Amino acid sequence: MPEATRTTSFRAPGGGFGTIDVGFVELKVGGRLATLTLLWTPRYTDTPPTKEISVFDMFGQHNPAVTLVDSTNLKRYVVVQDSRSVELGASGLRTKTVNNTPASASYTFAAPPTDVRTVDVYADDRLLFDAVTVVR
């Protein structure tokens, strides 16, 4: 399991009583694409330790829209799609874990321009991490 360099926590928006911890692992550019890796950890007080919990469950029965915001050029980057319009990112339904155990998830975006050194990471309208370094 990758290690998070930064973490944040917020109250679970749906599906359980407790919090969701999010760990930032990295945002790395390779060619024209950038890959963001996050760790999602549910910390529910009312859920048995062996019950599967998906990212879809953590967000109140919907897949969160993970985006990058470039405040230098005032642009929002969304997860890229393949030729069949399938997003190149972790599926909220298939990204599963159990209580208090992180699940690793990766999301692929168009790479920001080379002059952009940092971006902000959002899930829906929730700021998860500000000024994360774009590793090139």
Side-chain angles (χ1 to χ4, degrees):
M1 182 68 58
E3 297 246 351
T5 57
R6 290 170 67 179
T7 59
T8 189
S9 184
F10 56 91
R11 202 181 85 208
F17 295 99
T19 60
I20 308 298
D21 291 353
V22 186
F24 171 79
V25 176
E26 71 177 349
L27 176 61
K28 187 168 185 156
V29 171
R32 296 175 52 196
L33 299 174
T35 302
L36 169 70
T37 304
L38 299 175
L39 299 175
W40 299 102
T41 309
R43 300 206 184 276
Y44 293 161
T45 57
D46 66 340
T47 302
T50 57
K51 182 178 189 281
E52 273 194 338
I53 303 166
S54 69
V55 172
F56 181 85
D57 298 329
M58 292 180 216
F59 277 84
Q61 307 301 298
H62 85 274
N63 289 319
V66 176
T67 59
L68 305 177
V69 174
D70 166 3
S71 57
T72 303
N73 297 304
L74 301 178
K75 284 188 169 183
R76 180 180 298 268
Y77 293 88
V78 298
V79 174
V80 296
Q81 296 180 349
D82 68 13
S83 58
R84 288 186 255 158
S85 299
V86 175
E87 286 188 349
L88 299 180
S91 161
L93 281 170
R94 290 191 306 263
T95 304
K96 296 179 182 179
T97 187
V98 293
N99 209 14
N100 299 307
T101 303
S104 181
S106 294
Y107 306 87
T108 303
F109 302 87
T114 55
D115 66 325
V116 176
R117 305 263 186 248
T118 64
V119 295
D120 300 334
V121 178
Y122 282 80
D124 295 332
D125 61 351
R126 180 185 307 276
L127 175 63
L128 297 177
F129 302 102
D130 63 346
V132 302
T133 303
V134 179
V135 176
R136 297 186 188 272

